[in-house]
Amino acid sequence: EAGVAQSPRYKIIEKRQSVAFWCNPISGHATLYWYQQILGQGPKLLIQFQNNGVVDDSQLPKDRFSAERLKGVDSTLKIQPAKLEDSAVYLCASSLDFYTLTEAFFGQGTRLTVV
Amino acid sequence: AQSVTQLDSQVPVFEEAPVELRCNYSSSVSVYLFWYVQYPNQGLQLLLKYLSGSTLVESINGFEAEFNKSQTSFHLRKPSVHISDTAEYFCAVSDYGQNFVFGPGTRLSVLP
């Protein structure tokens, strides 16, 4: 079975620019997560979707970050405008659904460098 | 809200020696526990998980972890490590498979 796909793998932008990341979860997985992993730290949840609805976005900096999963399949995470402290790896993960005991499967991530 | 503590940020160990990576968690509800491994420049991969049943769980590459509810711990152990085990290890807790909260990670360095 295909894994979680993310693109691009790497991105370098200047501060105040905007950037978007794309994620395609494992087929049939209803739950999708976006995590931010700053160098030397564990992943921090930004937002969690169940199908096309938001379950938890309490740690998403909503003044500059947005995410959508319009058709309940793939998802886009956007940062506008970017700050230096947004430099991190952005990980997308998916799991079967909100109510089933299972693990989250992770993509390889997008490494963002803001200069 | 759950939280995860991994007290050791770095663990150097010689090849073929045993290793224990510590993980403690706090939660007000029943939880499910996971260990993920991240090799350099790769994504997170599930190493093992505890959902229910036997408190001792094993991975296919020789790691094991034991869920201890009274001590709120889920330490990861391996009796004999290999160079290829060098990686970052993350402990994670999930409440009924919902959001996953990760610890800060432990960098295991296996020395020849």
Side-chain angles (χ1 to χ4, degrees):
Chain A
E1 117 188 312
V4 177
Q6 289 189 249
S7 67
R9 284 295 309 278
Y10 305 93
K11 190 75 177 179
I12 301 175
I13 62 171
E14 295 182 350
K15 59 184 179 184
R16 292 188 289 274
Q17 284 188 321
S18 62
V19 64
F21 313 126
W22 175 81
C23 171
N24 193 24
I26 292 173
S27 178
H29 280 195
T31 305
L32 185 147
Y33 313 81
W34 282 103
Y35 285 85
Q36 179 193 57
Q37 186 178 18
I38 293 173
L39 188 64
Q41 299 181 21
K44 183 186 83 171
L45 180 70
L46 292 175
I47 189 167
Q48 178 183 352
F49 292 94
Q50 175 73 3
N51 296 311
N52 61 350
V54 175
V55 174
D56 182 358
D57 64 355
S58 57
Q59 298 192 83
L60 186 74
K62 298 179 185 65
D63 57 333
R64 299 184 299 107
F65 286 65
S66 64
E68 59 184 17
R69 194 185 183 200
L70 294 175
K71 296 183 179 178
V73 181
D74 56 346
S75 176
T76 303
L77 176 70
K78 296 179 181 177
I79 308 175
Q80 181 180 9
K83 293 185 175 181
L84 295 177
E85 59 261 35
D86 297 332
S87 293
V89 176
Y90 290 84
L91 297 167
C92 180
S94 69
S95 63
L96 195 58
D97 66 45
F98 195 66
Y99 305 102
T100 303
L101 303 180
T102 185
E103 68 265 26
F105 296 83
F106 284 81
Q108 292 203 303
T110 296
R111 183 178 298 276
L112 173 67
T113 303
V114 183
V115 298
Chain B
Q2 307 104 280
S3 67
V4 177
T5 303
Q6 293 181 250
L7 291 174
D8 307 305
S9 60
Q10 297 188 56
V11 174
V13 63
F14 286 106
E15 193 173 18
E16 297 182 7
V19 70
E20 179 179 78
L21 307 183
R22 295 180 292 170
C23 171
N24 288 88
Y25 69 93
S26 66
S27 176
S28 57
V29 299
S30 295
V31 296
Y32 305 106
L33 295 155
F34 306 83
W35 275 99
Y36 281 84
V37 59
Q38 188 173 38
Y39 298 103
N41 297 314
Q42 294 189 28
L44 288 159
Q45 302 172 35
L46 180 70
L47 188 60
L48 46 76
K49 61 186 177 185
Y50 169 77
L51 301 181
S52 64
S54 172
T55 57
L56 183 66
V57 291
E58 299 177 352
S59 72
I60 58 173
N61 56 353
F63 283 93
E64 65 177 30
E66 186 160 20
F67 170 53
N68 188 318
K69 189 175 182 179
S70 63
Q71 296 187 9
T72 61
S73 68
F74 191 55
H75 301 330
L76 181 70
R77 293 185 289 264
K78 188 170 185 179
S80 176
V81 294
H82 303 289
I83 296 287
S84 59
D85 293 325
T86 295
E88 188 96 24
Y89 291 80
F90 294 94
C91 182
V93 61
S94 168
D95 55 346
Y96 301 111
Q98 298 175 18
N99 78 81
F100 291 79
V101 176
F102 286 83
T106 297
R107 181 174 299 278
L108 174 64
S109 298
V110 181
L111 311 171

mmCIF file of all heavy atoms in Angstrom, chain A residues 6-7 19-23 34-36 46-47 49 60-61 64-69 75-80 90-91:
data_model
loop_
_atom_site.group_PDB
_atom_site.id
_atom_site.type_symbol
_atom_site.label_atom_id
_atom_site.label_comp_id
_atom_site.label_asym_id
_atom_site.label_seq_id
_atom_site.Cartn_x
_atom_site.Cartn_y
_atom_site.Cartn_z
ATOM 1 N N GLN A 6 4.089 13.524 0.551
ATOM 2 C CA GLN A 6 4.203 14.951 0.823
ATOM 3 C C GLN A 6 5.062 15.606 -0.240
ATOM 4 O O GLN A 6 6.018 15.013 -0.741
ATOM 5 C CB GLN A 6 4.860 15.211 2.188
ATOM 6 C CG GLN A 6 3.998 14.875 3.366
ATOM 7 C CD GLN A 6 4.614 15.346 4.671
ATOM 8 O OE1 GLN A 6 5.041 14.543 5.498
ATOM 9 N NE2 GLN A 6 4.657 16.665 4.864
ATOM 10 N N SER A 7 4.730 16.844 -0.564
ATOM 11 C CA SER A 7 5.581 17.632 -1.460
ATOM 12 C C SER A 7 5.458 19.111 -1.108
ATOM 13 O O SER A 7 4.445 19.546 -0.549
ATOM 14 C CB SER A 7 5.175 17.398 -2.920
ATOM 15 O OG SER A 7 3.885 17.929 -3.159
ATOM 16 N N VAL A 19 4.129 30.227 1.601
ATOM 17 C CA VAL A 19 4.526 28.893 1.157
ATOM 18 C C VAL A 19 3.367 27.941 1.418
ATOM 19 O O VAL A 19 2.548 28.161 2.330
ATOM 20 C CB VAL A 19 5.803 28.428 1.889
ATOM 21 C CG1 VAL A 19 5.557 28.270 3.394
ATOM 22 C CG2 VAL A 19 6.355 27.151 1.290
ATOM 23 N N ALA A 20 3.281 26.894 0.607
ATOM 24 C CA ALA A 20 2.234 25.887 0.783
ATOM 25 C C ALA A 20 2.825 24.500 0.672
ATOM 26 O O ALA A 20 3.721 24.268 -0.153
ATOM 27 C CB ALA A 20 1.135 26.074 -0.257
ATOM 28 N N PHE A 21 2.313 23.617 1.511
ATOM 29 C CA PHE A 21 2.744 22.219 1.505
ATOM 30 C C PHE A 21 1.533 21.347 1.200
ATOM 31 O O PHE A 21 0.422 21.645 1.638
ATOM 32 C CB PHE A 21 3.312 21.805 2.872
ATOM 33 C CG PHE A 21 4.286 22.778 3.465
ATOM 34 C CD1 PHE A 21 4.097 23.276 4.743
ATOM 35 C CD2 PHE A 21 5.385 23.198 2.743
ATOM 36 C CE1 PHE A 21 4.993 24.175 5.297
ATOM 37 C CE2 PHE A 21 6.293 24.089 3.289
ATOM 38 C CZ PHE A 21 6.086 24.582 4.570
ATOM 39 N N TRP A 22 1.803 20.241 0.513
ATOM 40 C CA TRP A 22 0.714 19.356 0.122
ATOM 41 C C TRP A 22 0.910 17.970 0.727
ATOM 42 O O TRP A 22 2.045 17.505 0.887
ATOM 43 C CB TRP A 22 0.682 19.266 -1.413
ATOM 44 C CG TRP A 22 -0.316 18.302 -1.958
ATOM 45 C CD1 TRP A 22 -1.649 18.487 -2.139
ATOM 46 C CD2 TRP A 22 -0.040 16.965 -2.405
ATOM 47 N NE1 TRP A 22 -2.227 17.372 -2.680
ATOM 48 C CE2 TRP A 22 -1.264 16.414 -2.849
ATOM 49 C CE3 TRP A 22 1.118 16.191 -2.467
ATOM 50 C CZ2 TRP A 22 -1.356 15.121 -3.354
ATOM 51 C CZ3 TRP A 22 1.034 14.897 -2.978
ATOM 52 C CH2 TRP A 22 -0.207 14.379 -3.404
ATOM 53 N N CYS A 23 -0.196 17.327 1.066
ATOM 54 C CA CYS A 23 -0.140 15.991 1.646
ATOM 55 C C CYS A 23 -1.260 15.135 1.081
ATOM 56 O O CYS A 23 -2.424 15.559 1.018
ATOM 57 C CB CYS A 23 -0.275 16.062 3.168
ATOM 58 S SG CYS A 23 -0.479 14.454 3.978
ATOM 59 N N TRP A 34 -1.265 17.382 10.688
ATOM 60 C CA TRP A 34 -0.077 18.155 10.331
ATOM 61 C C TRP A 34 0.710 18.438 11.619
ATOM 62 O O TRP A 34 0.146 18.923 12.598
ATOM 63 C CB TRP A 34 -0.438 19.489 9.684
ATOM 64 C CG TRP A 34 -0.850 19.411 8.254
ATOM 65 C CD1 TRP A 34 -2.105 19.478 7.737
ATOM 66 C CD2 TRP A 34 0.026 19.287 7.119
ATOM 67 N NE1 TRP A 34 -2.077 19.402 6.371
ATOM 68 C CE2 TRP A 34 -0.777 19.283 5.957
ATOM 69 C CE3 TRP A 34 1.418 19.193 6.972
ATOM 70 C CZ2 TRP A 34 -0.247 19.168 4.670
ATOM 71 C CZ3 TRP A 34 1.944 19.077 5.704
ATOM 72 C CH2 TRP A 34 1.116 19.072 4.569
ATOM 73 N N TYR A 35 1.995 18.118 11.571
ATOM 74 C CA TYR A 35 2.888 18.365 12.698
ATOM 75 C C TYR A 35 4.020 19.285 12.262
ATOM 76 O O TYR A 35 4.456 19.258 11.115
ATOM 77 C CB TYR A 35 3.520 17.067 13.205
ATOM 78 C CG TYR A 35 2.602 16.177 14.013
ATOM 79 C CD1 TYR A 35 1.759 15.268 13.400
ATOM 80 C CD2 TYR A 35 2.612 16.246 15.407
ATOM 81 C CE1 TYR A 35 0.932 14.449 14.150
ATOM 82 C CE2 TYR A 35 1.782 15.425 16.161
ATOM 83 C CZ TYR A 35 0.951 14.537 15.523
ATOM 84 O OH TYR A 35 0.136 13.723 16.276
ATOM 85 N N GLN A 36 4.499 20.064 13.209
ATOM 86 C CA GLN A 36 5.700 20.875 13.007
ATOM 87 C C GLN A 36 6.813 20.296 13.881
ATOM 88 O O GLN A 36 6.616 20.105 15.081
ATOM 89 C CB GLN A 36 5.439 22.323 13.416
ATOM 90 C CG GLN A 36 6.650 23.245 13.254
ATOM 91 C CD GLN A 36 6.445 24.580 13.958
ATOM 92 O OE1 GLN A 36 6.196 24.644 15.153
ATOM 93 N NE2 GLN A 36 6.498 25.658 13.189
ATOM 94 N N LEU A 46 -0.114 20.548 14.819
ATOM 95 C CA LEU A 46 -0.671 21.839 14.394
ATOM 96 C C LEU A 46 -2.176 21.734 14.196
ATOM 97 O O LEU A 46 -2.940 22.575 14.667
ATOM 98 C CB LEU A 46 -0.017 22.295 13.091
ATOM 99 C CG LEU A 46 1.462 22.674 13.160
ATOM 100 C CD1 LEU A 46 1.984 22.988 11.765
ATOM 101 C CD2 LEU A 46 1.674 23.859 14.087
ATOM 102 N N ILE A 47 -2.603 20.704 13.473
ATOM 103 C CA ILE A 47 -4.017 20.575 13.172
ATOM 104 C C ILE A 47 -4.331 19.120 12.873
ATOM 105 O O ILE A 47 -3.488 18.389 12.351
ATOM 106 C CB ILE A 47 -4.424 21.487 11.990
ATOM 107 C CG1 ILE A 47 -5.950 21.526 11.807
ATOM 108 C CG2 ILE A 47 -3.722 21.077 10.712
ATOM 109 C CD1 ILE A 47 -6.419 22.632 10.863
ATOM 110 N N PHE A 49 -7.518 16.680 11.203
ATOM 111 C CA PHE A 49 -8.773 16.593 10.467
ATOM 112 C C PHE A 49 -9.372 15.192 10.632
ATOM 113 O O PHE A 49 -8.661 14.202 10.680
ATOM 114 C CB PHE A 49 -8.554 16.810 8.963
ATOM 115 C CG PHE A 49 -8.144 18.186 8.568
ATOM 116 C CD1 PHE A 49 -6.793 18.509 8.421
ATOM 117 C CD2 PHE A 49 -9.082 19.165 8.299
ATOM 118 C CE1 PHE A 49 -6.405 19.774 8.019
ATOM 119 C CE2 PHE A 49 -8.704 20.433 7.897
ATOM 120 C CZ PHE A 49 -7.362 20.742 7.754
ATOM 121 N N LEU A 60 -2.449 25.734 16.267
ATOM 122 C CA LEU A 60 -2.155 26.320 14.956
ATOM 123 C C LEU A 60 -2.117 27.847 15.085
ATOM 124 O O LEU A 60 -3.098 28.455 15.518
ATOM 125 C CB LEU A 60 -3.237 25.910 13.953
ATOM 126 C CG LEU A 60 -3.015 26.315 12.508
ATOM 127 C CD1 LEU A 60 -1.930 25.436 11.888
ATOM 128 C CD2 LEU A 60 -4.315 26.200 11.705
ATOM 129 N N PRO A 61 -1.007 28.476 14.723
ATOM 130 C CA PRO A 61 -0.947 29.960 14.783
ATOM 131 C C PRO A 61 -1.805 30.540 13.669
ATOM 132 O O PRO A 61 -1.343 30.784 12.553
ATOM 133 C CB PRO A 61 0.544 30.251 14.568
ATOM 134 C CG PRO A 61 1.253 28.949 14.719
ATOM 135 C CD PRO A 61 0.277 27.888 14.331
ATOM 136 N N ARG A 64 -1.188 33.260 10.848
ATOM 137 C CA ARG A 64 -0.323 33.087 9.687
ATOM 138 C C ARG A 64 -0.427 31.702 9.048
ATOM 139 O O ARG A 64 -0.017 31.517 7.911
ATOM 140 C CB ARG A 64 1.144 33.329 10.076
ATOM 141 C CG ARG A 64 1.413 34.735 10.593
ATOM 142 C CD ARG A 64 2.885 34.959 10.882
ATOM 143 N NE ARG A 64 3.390 34.048 11.893
ATOM 144 C CZ ARG A 64 4.190 33.026 11.633
ATOM 145 N NH1 ARG A 64 4.567 32.777 10.376
ATOM 146 N NH2 ARG A 64 4.618 32.242 12.601
ATOM 147 N N PHE A 65 -0.932 30.735 9.791
ATOM 148 C CA PHE A 65 -1.043 29.373 9.283
ATOM 149 C C PHE A 65 -2.508 29.072 8.949
ATOM 150 O O PHE A 65 -3.409 29.459 9.692
ATOM 151 C CB PHE A 65 -0.571 28.354 10.324
ATOM 152 C CG PHE A 65 0.917 28.275 10.517
ATOM 153 C CD1 PHE A 65 1.629 29.342 11.035
ATOM 154 C CD2 PHE A 65 1.601 27.118 10.200
ATOM 155 C CE1 PHE A 65 3.003 29.266 11.234
ATOM 156 C CE2 PHE A 65 2.974 27.021 10.406
ATOM 157 C CZ PHE A 65 3.667 28.098 10.918
ATOM 158 N N SER A 66 -2.694 28.345 7.853
ATOM 159 C CA SER A 66 -4.024 27.847 7.521
ATOM 160 C C SER A 66 -3.891 26.470 6.901
ATOM 161 O O SER A 66 -2.853 26.142 6.320
ATOM 162 C CB SER A 66 -4.753 28.801 6.577
ATOM 163 O OG SER A 66 -4.069 28.870 5.331
ATOM 164 N N ALA A 67 -4.927 25.685 7.031
ATOM 165 C CA ALA A 67 -4.909 24.345 6.441
ATOM 166 C C ALA A 67 -6.312 24.000 5.998
ATOM 167 O O ALA A 67 -7.292 24.438 6.601
ATOM 168 C CB ALA A 67 -4.398 23.313 7.444
ATOM 169 N N GLU A 68 -6.368 23.201 4.943
ATOM 170 C CA GLU A 68 -7.672 22.770 4.469
ATOM 171 C C GLU A 68 -7.606 21.347 3.946
ATOM 172 O O GLU A 68 -6.555 20.860 3.544
ATOM 173 C CB GLU A 68 -8.200 23.714 3.386
ATOM 174 C CG GLU A 68 -7.328 23.836 2.165
ATOM 175 C CD GLU A 68 -7.868 24.863 1.170
ATOM 176 O OE1 GLU A 68 -8.704 25.692 1.544
ATOM 177 O OE2 GLU A 68 -7.441 24.805 0.003
ATOM 178 N N ARG A 69 -8.751 20.716 3.967
ATOM 179 C CA ARG A 69 -8.885 19.349 3.463
ATOM 180 C C ARG A 69 -10.287 19.261 2.862
ATOM 181 O O ARG A 69 -11.159 18.578 3.354
ATOM 182 C CB ARG A 69 -8.698 18.335 4.586
ATOM 183 C CG ARG A 69 -8.480 16.909 4.098
ATOM 184 C CD ARG A 69 -8.413 15.924 5.235
ATOM 185 N NE ARG A 69 -8.143 14.578 4.748
ATOM 186 C CZ ARG A 69 -8.385 13.464 5.425
ATOM 187 N NH1 ARG A 69 -8.909 13.545 6.647
ATOM 188 N NH2 ARG A 69 -8.105 12.286 4.914
ATOM 189 N N SER A 75 -4.609 17.301 1.545
ATOM 190 C CA SER A 75 -4.650 18.498 2.391
ATOM 191 C C SER A 75 -3.520 19.445 2.021
ATOM 192 O O SER A 75 -2.464 19.017 1.526
ATOM 193 C CB SER A 75 -4.518 18.107 3.858
ATOM 194 O OG SER A 75 -4.458 19.239 4.702
ATOM 195 N N THR A 76 -3.744 20.724 2.271
ATOM 196 C CA THR A 76 -2.738 21.756 2.045
ATOM 197 C C THR A 76 -2.545 22.557 3.320
ATOM 198 O O THR A 76 -3.532 22.940 3.966
ATOM 199 C CB THR A 76 -3.160 22.695 0.912
ATOM 200 O OG1 THR A 76 -3.398 21.927 -0.265
ATOM 201 C CG2 THR A 76 -2.072 23.716 0.625
ATOM 202 N N LEU A 77 -1.311 22.795 3.676
ATOM 203 C CA LEU A 77 -0.953 23.656 4.804
ATOM 204 C C LEU A 77 -0.245 24.882 4.231
ATOM 205 O O LEU A 77 0.669 24.744 3.421
ATOM 206 C CB LEU A 77 -0.026 22.931 5.775
ATOM 207 C CG LEU A 77 0.505 23.739 6.957
ATOM 208 C CD1 LEU A 77 -0.613 24.053 7.948
ATOM 209 C CD2 LEU A 77 1.627 22.982 7.668
ATOM 210 N N LYS A 78 -0.706 26.076 4.637
ATOM 211 C CA LYS A 78 -0.125 27.310 4.116
ATOM 212 C C LYS A 78 0.407 28.174 5.253
ATOM 213 O O LYS A 78 -0.186 28.215 6.343
ATOM 214 C CB LYS A 78 -1.175 28.093 3.323
ATOM 215 C CG LYS A 78 -1.667 27.392 2.081
ATOM 216 C CD LYS A 78 -2.724 28.222 1.357
ATOM 217 C CE LYS A 78 -3.247 27.504 0.123
ATOM 218 N NZ LYS A 78 -4.323 28.262 -0.569
ATOM 219 N N ILE A 79 1.498 28.857 4.959
ATOM 220 C CA ILE A 79 2.048 29.842 5.890
ATOM 221 C C ILE A 79 2.159 31.168 5.142
ATOM 222 O O ILE A 79 2.727 31.245 4.059
ATOM 223 C CB ILE A 79 3.445 29.440 6.400
ATOM 224 C CG1 ILE A 79 3.439 28.012 6.967
ATOM 225 C CG2 ILE A 79 3.910 30.420 7.482
ATOM 226 C CD1 ILE A 79 4.817 27.508 7.374
ATOM 227 N N GLN A 80 1.547 32.201 5.729
ATOM 228 C CA GLN A 80 1.557 33.504 5.068
ATOM 229 C C GLN A 80 1.343 34.612 6.099
ATOM 230 O O GLN A 80 0.248 34.673 6.685
ATOM 231 C CB GLN A 80 0.464 33.554 4.003
ATOM 232 C CG GLN A 80 0.389 34.854 3.229
ATOM 233 C CD GLN A 80 -0.718 34.845 2.187
ATOM 234 O OE1 GLN A 80 -1.552 33.935 2.141
ATOM 235 N NE2 GLN A 80 -0.731 35.847 1.345
ATOM 236 N N TYR A 90 7.862 19.961 8.329
ATOM 237 C CA TYR A 90 6.412 19.850 8.465
ATOM 238 C C TYR A 90 6.020 18.435 8.044
ATOM 239 O O TYR A 90 6.238 18.022 6.906
ATOM 240 C CB TYR A 90 5.719 20.933 7.648
ATOM 241 C CG TYR A 90 5.949 22.279 8.279
ATOM 242 C CD1 TYR A 90 7.122 22.993 8.011
ATOM 243 C CD2 TYR A 90 5.065 22.796 9.214
ATOM 244 C CE1 TYR A 90 7.383 24.196 8.644
ATOM 245 C CE2 TYR A 90 5.312 24.001 9.851
ATOM 246 C CZ TYR A 90 6.484 24.683 9.567
ATOM 247 O OH TYR A 90 6.749 25.883 10.208
ATOM 248 N N LEU A 91 5.474 17.724 9.004
ATOM 249 C CA LEU A 91 5.135 16.319 8.816
ATOM 250 C C LEU A 91 3.636 16.153 8.676
ATOM 251 O O LEU A 91 2.860 16.727 9.448
ATOM 252 C CB LEU A 91 5.603 15.494 10.018
ATOM 253 C CG LEU A 91 7.103 15.441 10.275
ATOM 254 C CD1 LEU A 91 7.395 14.882 11.653
ATOM 255 C CD2 LEU A 91 7.787 14.589 9.218
#
